[in-house]
Amino acid sequence: MDYFSRQKNTNIRLTLPVVCFVWQIAMIILFGVFIRYDEESDTHWVETKAHDNITSDIENDFYFRYPSFQDVHVMIFVGFGFLMTFLKRYSFGAVGFNFLIASFGLQWALLMQGWFHSLDPQTGKIFIGVESLINADFCVAGCLIAYGAVLGKVSPVQLLVMTLFGVTLFAVEEYIILNLLHARDAGGSMVIHTFGGYYGLTISWVLYRPNLHQSKRMQGSVYHSDIFAMIGTLFLWMFWPSFNSAITDHGDGQHRAVINTYLCLASTVLTTVAISSLSQKTGKLDMVHIQNSTLAGGVALGTAAEFMISPYGALIVGFFCGIISTMGYIFISPFLEKTLKIQDTCGIHNLHAMPGVIGGIVGAITAAAASESVYGKLINTFDFTGDFKDRTVLTQGGYQAAGMCVSIVFGVVGGAIVGSILKLPIWGDPADENCFDDEVYWEVSEPESIPPILEYNNHMIHKQQDLSESNFSVEHCES
Amino acid sequence: MDYFSRQKNTNIRLTLPVVCFVWQIAMIILFGVFIRYDEESDTHWVETKAHDNITSDIENDFYFRYPSFQDVHVMIFVGFGFLMTFLKRYSFGAVGFNFLIASFGLQWALLMQGWFHSLDPQTGKIFIGVESLINADFCVAGCLIAYGAVLGKVSPVQLLVMTLFGVTLFAVEEYIILNLLHARDAGGSMVIHTFGGYYGLTISWVLYRPNLHQSKRMQGSVYHSDIFAMIGTLFLWMFWPSFNSAITDHGDGQHRAVINTYLCLASTVLTTVAISSLSQKTGKLDMVHIQNSTLAGGVALGTAAEFMISPYGALIVGFFCGIISTMGYIFISPFLEKTLKIQDTCGIHNLHAMPGVIGGIVGAITAAAASESVYGKLINTFDFTGDFKDRTVLTQGGYQAAGMCVSIVFGVVGGAIVGSILKLPIWGDPADENCFDDEVYWEVSEPESIPPILEYNNHMIHKQQDLSESNFSVEHCES
Amino acid sequence: MDYFSRQKNTNIRLTLPVVCFVWQIAMIILFGVFIRYDEESDTHWVETKAHDNITSDIENDFYFRYPSFQDVHVMIFVGFGFLMTFLKRYSFGAVGFNFLIASFGLQWALLMQGWFHSLDPQTGKIFIGVESLINADFCVAGCLIAYGAVLGKVSPVQLLVMTLFGVTLFAVEEYIILNLLHARDAGGSMVIHTFGGYYGLTISWVLYRPNLHQSKRMQGSVYHSDIFAMIGTLFLWMFWPSFNSAITDHGDGQHRAVINTYLCLASTVLTTVAISSLSQKTGKLDMVHIQNSTLAGGVALGTAAEFMISPYGALIVGFFCGIISTMGYIFISPFLEKTLKIQDTCGIHNLHAMPGVIGGIVGAITAAAASESVYGKLINTFDFTGDFKDRTVLTQGGYQAAGMCVSIVFGVVGGAIVGSILKLPIWGDPADENCFDDEVYWEVSEPESIPPILEYNNHMIHKQQDLSESNFSVEHCES
């Protein structure tokens, strides 16, 4: 500990508690002023519906959305959290800080999304229900993606700041893309993944550490940390159909989004394995690819999952995403690090940014190619009502593409500004040689791998060392 | 093994199988006499409803409750089980015995709760459906909480006895609180957490081991065991909204309970992190707090989750629970151990007992403050019908408080009696120096941490030891 | 790596990518030709129903099946995957190859099951919805069971071949059992578990390795791998009620299947613990039994779960399955290996094959004993309509038994043929001494268990070794 503090001050005993308390108290006050139960979660529900048979209850949106919400919730906390546990000694930080920033972010998201999307003009209140909770989780996902790029290199205080601004930017770009441009993006290829990816990558670029190799001993995984990471991978993979369908239209909309995502992800697994095997001399598989690239298909179908992309269309998207994402880990990540000075711990460029952009393009093309013969009344899927009732599918395709550009711009510009703020020397971030090390921010128990008999070994060896007058020096120990 | 048996007989080869067989056979006989499918799980369902369109099926309570049931089920088996895996060498016992006593307890709970709550006076049968399964899981939760206090210090036979009596006591106190006092407690702050907490603490007090320090080497966690425990923490945290809403009223009741619990838990995480960081010299976080105190908000909203506590009210409850529970780990647990002689392995006093009492108080206040302007017809939420149709909200508040007292009394008195039974020297509990060690009750494979090359080290050292005539003695090895 | 390749060519750099790409492209083409969204996942859904109030959406099968589907999905990927992580150094292969073959298998299953069960004669298309996804997952389960028998002894290419044929055989035997014989098997005791079990066992028998003891050092578990396996066990155990009810009739059918499976599994746990404890000198429990035999009850109730077997009937089935399955691990597995030359890595004979046969018998008896007084109109449960409207329950019982024989025959004969194909020396399977070792097909990071200080030990010892002129030889290191 003294060793660390001599080099760089990572003491967060003042900043972390202050930030947590101030923000939580602010949340309580703002929730008191703005947030109320919506009609369906209020005790007046029964009266509103003016009939008390059981049918009125089943119409409550709760029963349409809650199972999907819980799947999304698992993705946010277990999925993202455990996916990042792959580092040999940063699993506490992966799961723990993910837990912290998600819990903070979802409260702020309810407010920000409420102000932009559902502020009741008459009462000045935001009315929340289960769909608000899903949207808050979605919003947080963007920030957790960004966390992947800076994993192990920032302090929890920096993460909270990053989340505060990230959620704010998210709500604005989401408002522009979904409400002003009236683009569709139910699973968030653009709104969540593209934005989150470029937001994180740009922050990582601003915070570039030229001497990061000094913590090289802490990079990489160990056997068991890779298995922990597979818990994250699998829960993300399995529940991604729920993610892409959680807020789509009731009935066929949710049903179709699930089928498309399910098929797309299955296809991604096969091409990921193929490319991973191709990339090694003897065809061995690399856990990094299996943990990450197998998920790219879900990202890329975020926009188009609810469309009539057809089952084989979903397979095709997955096919190419598996290839591109795995190639990304092999070729693009080293290029980004060496040439562009972007250090991307989890490879979010390959898992979120690139597949997100692909998803935006797929969505634009699918929308532009929509026809009444396939969709029936287009009004249902694209919601061509009100101000948008004269829109054609071609125009819709253009607005989808515009939406993708908005998400990239918000990610890059927002990331540059927030990155500059995080560069201030007040946040308690670790020194280069202490990156990727839980010791810096966590009380870590002794290493598990010294059973009593081996401790005795040490004891004996030190004795013998004296006897044999070995010229052993501390440097050997460090290597 | 001989080493253990010389000191204290932990042979359970007779008692454990006998208890399992006798009880399982008793369950079969009692189920044969008493338990039947309820109307909605019986093949006569379609005829009962006298119409065979699909709407009749969707009205089946199965579709209102089953997703929540599965979430609760995960909390019981993965949540509680993995939460207790934090000890370095008691993970088999944590997950395995949790599995055993939950599986036994839920059968006995179906009978006990059936006799007290739903015995049909005409047929003398208990009719079970999905809500019965949820209630059985709830009942088991009380016993699993109690297990947390004695984790690592008792034999599986003692756990089965503890569960048998625990479930019995639970059904009686639940009947008194919910039926006689007509208190509301959908998420079980009082019925489950307060009772379970004090039941376990009192048993642990009766079974006090003054020489527990002899197994000090086995206490505490290792790096990977802390990550396993986070699996338990997260599944409990994520699914707690389902826990608190699983048996509330259809429609707005379940919807509101979910929103409240979701918000309360998010708030708890921030204050837990704040206090945990404050408690260490350099602001480092302690995994014990993150694993446990982040859940306190869910416990404390068990009673009030279904009430109109309002979103900011839920945040406030979470705010204080995070603080109090973390403070409990820092200050109260050591006090309980040193002064009151209560050894509480998992700190259930901080996670269940205290937050449970807070939950009871919050519930009483919220109930007493209820008004028709906020709730509409109070009859829906507080069920002021039948014998209770003249009750006012103030009286209801009083009965809520009375319910909390009943749960404490049952926990303490029941725990004292059951603790005395468990003190009998016939149950095969471990000696003080073998506590917290899976070796006592499990076939444990060789430690994983000796790769071949290190085994060779041992080999070499023993040789060299002879050469150098070291005065090494066995005691060194033990330390 | 050179070490391995000298002995046996495990290079899969050509075969694995080729197989993955060819099959995935074939899937895309076949899906393009055959697979379409069904009515309920098509945008025409609303028009089809000709009314646009919310009730039409809730009637969408999605809301009846999706939560169960997700539970089944978790069982396939996390349940089966992690159950097989128990080996000390084959966890990547367990989770990773499980992931690969399940992702491939489910695509092929949609086609095969579609052709046999739901090919629309007019359009020549297969229309898929959420129930198709569940059935595809079920089909894959059969192949994953078979994987358990050959775990650690085959290459991923062999697994893909095994899955291709396994899914094909599955679809045919399922068609014969469910459609031609009109047997009921909602949870797949016969169709999934009996078939999958004997398919895997027969393949393992054909691929018998007389010198498997050469990889003895890699067999068995380590402490943490046993805990990882418990993740698989618990998710399988908890979600088995969803498995057995996922495709049963709406309403009471699903409700009853859940209750029966829940009770049966609870009962299994107690008898498994009892027998496991009895089998050891001091009554210690064996993790192998807890991980596997506790699930046997779910397998054995696969056929009868939807019947009116009554709650105590479910308990009785669980009671005997726990006993028989645990006995199987103690007595039958060694017998199979020594006498019948069947090496069954995960003991699928005890977990799937035997309980599956029991399940078939229980189903036949329960069906034959059905009466209108218990079931009401039998037509609902046994679907005595169309060609089968004159069938009696006794005949039904006979056809159930016939179905079981079909599944055994398909498993054994199919396994023998596929096993012979897999014996060809072109698949890159590992040498006997490299079985159960992730090193063969995975890039494995350095062992985690050497903390810096111990590496120093090695260093020192090697120096001292020179000093003392030890006659240490490489053989010592290998042991």
Side-chain angles (χ1 to χ4, degrees):
Chain A
M1 275 161 283
D2 287 325
Y3 171 70
F4 293 143
S5 51
R6 245 182 302 150
Q7 304 185 326
K8 195 156 184 180
N9 186 3
T10 60
N11 189 328
I12 48 170
R13 195 184 182 185
L14 184 66
T15 45
L16 184 59
V18 165
V19 169
C20 285
F21 275 128
V22 168
W23 284 357
Q24 191 55 56
I25 291 167
M27 289 300 111
I28 291 172
I29 295 168
L30 290 170
F31 269 61
V33 176
F34 288 104
I35 306 273
R36 296 291 177 272
Y37 302 121
D38 74 0
E39 188 195 53
E40 302 192 331
S41 57
D42 191 286
T43 42
H44 294 81
W45 162 252
V46 180
E47 295 164 43
T48 319
K49 302 306 274 187
H51 50 125
D52 46 15
N53 64 35
I54 202 168
T55 316
S56 72
D57 281 326
I58 201 68
E59 286 179 14
N60 197 306
D61 199 35
F62 181 77
Y63 300 103
F64 289 89
R65 304 279 185 213
Y66 188 63
S68 305
F69 161 69
Q70 273 299 3
D71 293 350
V72 171
H73 215 40
V74 171
M75 292 174 74
I76 299 296
F77 289 89
V78 164
F80 282 105
F82 273 87
L83 185 64
M84 297 191 284
T85 57
F86 71 98
L87 287 169
K88 67 182 78 166
R89 277 277 150 169
Y90 208 71
S91 301
F92 290 6
V95 171
F97 294 152
N98 183 81
F99 194 16
L100 170 64
I101 62 180
S103 299
F104 165 69
L106 61 86
Q107 298 179 53
W108 181 231
L110 282 170
L111 284 163
M112 282 301 300
Q113 293 184 317
W115 285 324
F116 274 97
H117 292 277
S118 58
L119 192 68
D120 184 68
Q122 284 189 313
T123 58
K125 305 294 182 200
I126 299 160
F127 296 96
I128 61 169
V130 67
E131 196 171 337
S132 320
L133 307 190
I134 298 172
N135 276 312
D137 272 19
F138 276 5
C139 182
V140 165
C143 298
L144 300 182
I145 290 165
Y147 179 28
V150 298
L151 181 75
K153 301 176 294 185
V154 293
S155 77
V157 184
Q158 284 177 305
L159 286 174
L160 286 168
V161 173
M162 207 173 118
T163 304
L164 178 70
F165 287 106
V167 168
T168 311
L169 289 162
F170 183 100
V172 177
E173 57 113 30
E174 186 191 40
Y175 177 72
I176 295 171
I177 294 171
L178 301 190
N179 295 44
L180 302 188
L181 300 180
H182 198 71
R184 302 287 293 181
D185 196 18
S189 286
M190 308 182 283
V191 169
I192 299 169
H193 298 284
T194 307
F195 165 75
Y198 286 106
Y199 181 62
L201 289 168
T202 313
I203 291 175
S204 189
W205 174 73
V206 176
L207 300 180
Y208 180 67
R209 287 167 178 268
N211 298 315
L212 195 59
H213 59 84
Q214 289 176 4
S215 57
K216 191 149 194 202
R217 74 192 184 289
M218 304 306 286
Q219 294 177 35
S221 62
V222 289
Y223 194 70
H224 281 163
S225 71
D226 268 327
I227 308 171
F228 278 118
M230 280 304 290
I231 296 175
T233 300
L234 288 176
F235 276 103
L236 288 171
W237 195 93
M238 295 181 303
F239 289 163
W240 216 293
S242 300
F243 193 91
N244 283 350
S245 70
I247 56 166
T248 55
D249 294 337
H250 290 168
D252 67 281
Q254 291 195 285
H255 205 148
R256 187 169 54 254
V258 161
I259 295 172
N260 288 334
T261 312
Y262 172 91
L263 292 173
C264 181
L265 284 165
S267 173
T268 312
V269 173
L270 268 87
T271 52
T272 299
V273 167
I275 300 293
S276 182
S277 177
L278 268 178
S279 74
Q280 298 284 343
K281 224 172 25 183
T282 56
K284 291 189 185 190
L285 298 173
D286 189 329
M287 261 291 173
V288 171
H289 307 153
I290 307 301
Q291 281 160 10
N292 294 283
S293 297
T294 50
L295 300 167
V299 174
L301 219 62
T303 303
E306 62 174 332
F307 299 162
M308 294 286 283
I309 193 170
S310 82
Y312 75 92
L315 289 182
I316 292 172
V317 172
F319 185 90
F320 288 107
C321 280
I323 296 174
I324 293 167
S325 177
T326 315
M327 295 276 206
Y329 278 97
I330 301 168
F331 300 113
I332 303 177
S333 284
F335 171 80
L336 287 181
E337 176 144 6
K338 273 179 209 145
T339 313
L340 299 187
K341 309 293 181 202
I342 298 174
Q343 292 155 331
D344 178 7
T345 313
C346 295
I348 64 163
H349 184 260
N350 313 306
L351 172 47
H352 297 282
M354 269 199 309
V357 171
I358 294 171
I361 296 167
V362 168
I365 294 171
T366 319
S371 68
E372 295 227 348
S373 70
V374 172
Y375 281 77
K377 289 180 190 141
L378 286 171
I379 204 170
N380 289 313
T381 301
F382 294 104
D383 196 22
F384 289 158
T385 52
D387 294 347
F388 308 100
K389 70 170 185 287
D390 299 328
R391 195 175 271 190
T392 65
V393 291
L394 266 178
T395 332
Q396 179 67 25
Y399 278 105
Q400 295 282 141
M404 200 185 62
C405 299
V406 171
S407 68
I408 295 175
V409 170
F410 263 80
V412 173
V413 176
I417 297 168
V418 175
S420 309
I421 297 170
L422 296 180
K423 237 181 142 64
L424 299 174
I426 57 172
W427 305 114
D429 52 317
D432 289 339
E433 62 266 45
N434 298 325
C435 283
F436 314 116
D437 191 349
D438 273 334
E439 288 273 356
V440 182
Y441 302 114
W442 297 87
E443 290 291 315
V444 179
S445 45
E446 91 262 33
E448 71 195 285
S449 38
I450 312 187
I453 184 65
L454 292 181
E455 285 179 35
Y456 148 61
N457 287 5
N458 292 348
H459 180 80
M460 285 309 298
I461 286 164
H462 284 290
K463 285 182 76 168
Q464 290 169 347
Q465 186 182 343
D466 301 339
L467 289 173
S468 60
E469 296 180 69
S470 156
N471 54 0
F472 171 82
S473 68
V474 181
E475 281 77 47
H476 286 117
C477 212
E478 299 265 317
S479 66
Chain B
M1 272 159 285
D2 287 325
Y3 172 69
F4 294 142
S5 51
R6 245 182 302 151
Q7 303 184 330
K8 196 158 182 177
N9 186 4
T10 60
N11 189 328
I12 48 170
R13 196 183 182 186
L14 183 67
T15 45
L16 184 59
V18 165
V19 169
C20 285
F21 275 127
V22 168
W23 285 357
Q24 191 55 55
I25 291 167
M27 287 300 111
I28 291 173
I29 295 168
L30 290 169
F31 269 61
V33 176
F34 288 105
I35 306 273
R36 297 291 177 272
Y37 301 121
D38 74 359
E39 187 196 52
E40 301 192 331
S41 56
D42 192 285
T43 41
H44 295 80
W45 164 251
V46 180
E47 295 164 43
T48 320
K49 303 306 276 187
H51 49 125
D52 47 15
N53 65 34
I54 202 167
T55 316
S56 72
D57 281 325
I58 201 68
E59 286 178 14
N60 196 305
D61 199 35
F62 181 76
Y63 300 102
F64 289 89
R65 304 278 184 213
Y66 188 64
S68 306
F69 160 69
Q70 272 299 1
D71 292 350
V72 171
H73 215 41
V74 171
M75 293 174 74
I76 299 297
F77 289 88
V78 163
F80 281 104
F82 273 87
L83 185 64
M84 296 191 284
T85 57
F86 71 98
L87 286 170
K88 65 182 80 166
R89 277 277 149 169
Y90 208 71
S91 301
F92 290 5
V95 171
F97 295 153
N98 184 81
F99 194 15
L100 171 64
I101 61 182
S103 299
F104 166 68
L106 61 86
Q107 299 178 54
W108 181 232
L110 282 170
L111 284 164
M112 281 301 300
Q113 292 185 320
W115 286 323
F116 273 98
H117 293 277
S118 57
L119 192 69
D120 184 67
Q122 285 189 313
T123 58
K125 304 294 181 200
I126 300 160
F127 296 97
I128 62 169
V130 66
E131 195 171 339
S132 319
L133 306 190
I134 298 173
N135 275 312
D137 272 19
F138 276 6
C139 181
V140 165
C143 297
L144 299 181
I145 291 165
Y147 178 28
V150 297
L151 181 75
K153 300 177 294 184
V154 293
S155 76
V157 183
Q158 283 177 305
L159 285 174
L160 285 168
V161 173
M162 206 172 119
T163 304
L164 177 71
F165 287 107
V167 168
T168 312
L169 289 162
F170 183 100
V172 177
E173 58 113 29
E174 186 190 41
Y175 178 72
I176 295 172
I177 294 172
L178 301 190
N179 294 43
L180 301 188
L181 300 179
H182 198 70
R184 302 287 294 183
D185 196 16
S189 286
M190 307 183 283
V191 168
I192 300 169
H193 298 284
T194 307
F195 165 74
Y198 286 106
Y199 181 62
L201 290 167
T202 313
I203 291 174
S204 189
W205 174 73
V206 176
L207 300 179
Y208 180 68
R209 287 167 178 270
N211 298 317
L212 195 58
H213 58 83
Q214 289 176 4
S215 57
K216 191 151 194 200
R217 76 194 181 288
M218 304 305 287
Q219 294 177 36
S221 61
V222 288
Y223 194 70
H224 281 163
S225 71
D226 269 327
I227 308 170
F228 278 117
M230 281 304 290
I231 296 175
T233 301
L234 288 176
F235 276 102
L236 287 171
W237 194 91
M238 296 181 303
F239 289 163
W240 215 293
S242 300
F243 193 92
N244 283 351
S245 70
I247 56 165
T248 56
D249 294 338
H250 290 166
D252 67 280
Q254 290 195 284
H255 204 148
R256 188 168 54 253
V258 160
I259 295 172
N260 287 335
T261 311
Y262 173 90
L263 292 173
C264 182
L265 283 165
S267 174
T268 312
V269 174
L270 268 89
T271 52
T272 298
V273 166
I275 300 293
S276 182
S277 178
L278 267 179
S279 74
Q280 298 283 345
K281 224 172 26 181
T282 57
K284 291 189 185 189
L285 298 173
D286 190 329
M287 261 292 172
V288 172
H289 307 152
I290 307 300
Q291 282 160 10
N292 293 283
S293 297
T294 50
L295 300 167
V299 174
L301 219 62
T303 303
E306 62 174 331
F307 298 163
M308 294 287 284
I309 194 171
S310 83
Y312 76 92
L315 289 182
I316 293 173
V317 172
F319 186 89
F320 287 107
C321 280
I323 297 173
I324 292 167
S325 177
T326 316
M327 294 276 206
Y329 278 96
I330 301 167
F331 300 113
I332 303 177
S333 285
F335 170 81
L336 287 182
E337 175 143 8
K338 272 180 209 143
T339 315
L340 297 188
K341 310 293 181 202
I342 298 174
Q343 291 154 331
D344 178 6
T345 313
C346 294
I348 64 164
H349 184 259
N350 313 306
L351 172 47
H352 296 283
M354 269 199 309
V357 171
I358 294 171
I361 295 168
V362 168
I365 294 172
T366 318
S371 68
E372 295 227 350
S373 71
V374 172
Y375 281 76
K377 288 180 192 143
L378 286 172
I379 204 171
N380 289 312
T381 301
F382 294 104
D383 196 22
F384 288 159
T385 51
D387 292 349
F388 308 101
K389 71 170 186 287
D390 298 328
R391 195 176 269 191
T392 67
V393 291
L394 267 178
T395 331
Q396 179 68 24
Y399 278 104
Q400 296 281 142
M404 201 185 62
C405 299
V406 170
S407 68
I408 296 175
V409 169
F410 263 80
V412 173
V413 176
I417 296 166
V418 175
S420 308
I421 296 169
L422 297 180
K423 237 182 143 64
L424 299 175
I426 57 172
W427 305 114
D429 52 316
D432 289 340
E433 62 266 47
N434 298 327
C435 283
F436 314 117
D437 191 350
D438 273 334
E439 288 273 356
V440 183
Y441 302 115
W442 296 87
E443 289 292 315
V444 179
S445 43
E446 90 262 34
E448 72 194 287
S449 38
I450 311 188
I453 184 66
L454 293 180
E455 284 179 35
Y456 149 61
N457 287 4
N458 292 350
H459 180 80
M460 285 308 298
I461 286 164
H462 284 290
K463 285 183 74 167
Q464 289 168 348
Q465 187 182 339
D466 301 339
L467 289 174
S468 60
E469 296 181 68
S470 158
N471 54 2
F472 170 83
S473 69
V474 181
E475 279 77 47
H476 285 116
C477 210
E478 299 267 317
S479 68
Chain C
M1 272 161 284
D2 288 326
Y3 171 69
F4 293 143
S5 50
R6 245 181 304 150
Q7 304 185 327
K8 195 157 182 179
N9 186 4
T10 59
N11 190 328
I12 48 170
R13 197 184 181 184
L14 182 68
T15 44
L16 185 59
V18 165
V19 169
C20 286
F21 275 126
V22 168
W23 284 358
Q24 191 56 57
I25 291 168
M27 289 299 111
I28 290 173
I29 295 167
L30 291 169
F31 269 61
V33 176
F34 288 105
I35 306 272
R36 296 290 177 273
Y37 302 120
D38 74 1
E39 187 195 53
E40 302 193 330
S41 56
D42 191 288
T43 42
H44 294 81
W45 163 251
V46 179
E47 294 163 44
T48 319
K49 302 305 275 186
H51 49 126
D52 47 16
N53 64 34
I54 201 167
T55 315
S56 72
D57 281 326
I58 201 69
E59 286 178 14
N60 196 305
D61 199 36
F62 181 76
Y63 300 102
F64 289 89
R65 304 278 184 212
Y66 188 64
S68 305
F69 160 69
Q70 272 299 2
D71 293 350
V72 171
H73 215 40
V74 171
M75 292 174 74
I76 298 297
F77 289 89
V78 164
F80 281 104
F82 274 87
L83 185 64
M84 297 190 284
T85 58
F86 70 98
L87 286 170
K88 66 182 77 165
R89 277 278 149 167
Y90 208 73
S91 302
F92 290 5
V95 171
F97 295 152
N98 184 81
F99 194 15
L100 171 63
I101 61 181
S103 298
F104 166 69
L106 61 86
Q107 298 178 53
W108 181 231
L110 282 170
L111 284 164
M112 282 301 301
Q113 293 185 318
W115 285 323
F116 274 98
H117 293 278
S118 57
L119 191 70
D120 185 67
Q122 285 190 312
T123 59
K125 304 294 180 198
I126 299 160
F127 296 97
I128 62 169
V130 66
E131 195 171 338
S132 319
L133 307 190
I134 298 173
N135 275 313
D137 273 20
F138 276 5
C139 181
V140 165
C143 297
L144 300 181
I145 290 165
Y147 180 28
V150 297
L151 181 75
K153 301 176 294 183
V154 292
S155 76
V157 183
Q158 284 178 304
L159 286 173
L160 286 169
V161 173
M162 204 172 120
T163 305
L164 177 71
F165 287 106
V167 168
T168 311
L169 289 163
F170 183 99
V172 177
E173 57 113 29
E174 187 191 40
Y175 178 72
I176 295 171
I177 294 171
L178 302 189
N179 294 43
L180 301 188
L181 300 180
H182 199 70
R184 303 286 293 182
D185 195 17
S189 286
M190 307 182 285
V191 169
I192 300 169
H193 298 285
T194 306
F195 166 74
Y198 286 106
Y199 181 61
L201 290 168
T202 313
I203 291 174
S204 190
W205 174 75
V206 176
L207 301 179
Y208 180 68
R209 287 167 177 268
N211 298 316
L212 195 59
H213 58 84
Q214 288 176 6
S215 57
K216 191 148 196 204
R217 74 194 184 288
M218 304 306 286
Q219 294 177 35
S221 63
V222 289
Y223 194 70
H224 281 164
S225 70
D226 269 327
I227 308 171
F228 278 116
M230 280 304 290
I231 296 174
T233 300
L234 288 176
F235 276 102
L236 287 171
W237 193 92
M238 295 181 303
F239 289 163
W240 216 293
S242 300
F243 194 91
N244 283 350
S245 70
I247 56 165
T248 55
D249 294 338
H250 291 166
D252 65 282
Q254 290 196 284
H255 204 148
R256 186 169 55 254
V258 160
I259 296 172
N260 287 336
T261 312
Y262 172 90
L263 291 173
C264 181
L265 283 165
S267 173
T268 312
V269 173
L270 269 88
T271 51
T272 298
V273 166
I275 301 293
S276 181
S277 177
L278 267 179
S279 73
Q280 298 284 344
K281 223 172 26 181
T282 57
K284 291 188 184 190
L285 299 173
D286 189 328
M287 261 291 171
V288 172
H289 307 152
I290 308 299
Q291 282 160 9
N292 294 284
S293 297
T294 50
L295 300 167
V299 173
L301 219 63
T303 302
E306 62 174 332
F307 299 162
M308 295 286 284
I309 193 171
S310 84
Y312 75 92
L315 289 182
I316 292 172
V317 172
F319 186 89
F320 288 107
C321 281
I323 296 174
I324 292 166
S325 176
T326 316
M327 294 276 206
Y329 278 96
I330 301 168
F331 299 112
I332 302 177
S333 284
F335 170 80
L336 287 182
E337 177 145 7
K338 271 179 212 147
T339 313
L340 298 187
K341 309 294 181 201
I342 299 175
Q343 291 155 333
D344 178 7
T345 312
C346 295
I348 63 164
H349 184 260
N350 313 305
L351 172 46
H352 296 283
M354 268 199 308
V357 171
I358 294 171
I361 296 167
V362 168
I365 294 172
T366 318
S371 67
E372 294 227 349
S373 70
V374 171
Y375 281 77
K377 289 181 191 140
L378 286 172
I379 204 169
N380 289 311
T381 301
F382 294 104
D383 196 23
F384 289 159
T385 50
D387 293 347
F388 309 99
K389 70 170 186 285
D390 298 328
R391 195 177 270 192
T392 66
V393 292
L394 266 178
T395 329
Q396 179 68 25
Y399 278 104
Q400 294 283 143
M404 201 185 63
C405 299
V406 170
S407 69
I408 295 175
V409 169
F410 263 81
V412 173
V413 176
I417 297 167
V418 175
S420 308
I421 296 170
L422 297 179
K423 236 181 143 65
L424 300 173
I426 57 172
W427 305 115
D429 52 317
D432 289 339
E433 62 266 48
N434 297 326
C435 283
F436 314 116
D437 191 349
D438 273 334
E439 289 273 355
V440 183
Y441 302 113
W442 297 87
E443 290 291 313
V444 179
S445 43
E446 91 263 35
E448 71 195 288
S449 38
I450 311 188
I453 184 67
L454 292 182
E455 285 178 35
Y456 148 60
N457 287 5
N458 293 349
H459 180 80
M460 285 309 298
I461 285 164
H462 285 290
K463 284 181 75 166
Q464 289 169 348
Q465 187 181 342
D466 302 337
L467 289 173
S468 60
E469 295 179 73
S470 157
N471 54 1
F472 169 82
S473 69
V474 181
E475 281 76 46
H476 285 117
C477 212
E478 299 267 316
S479 68

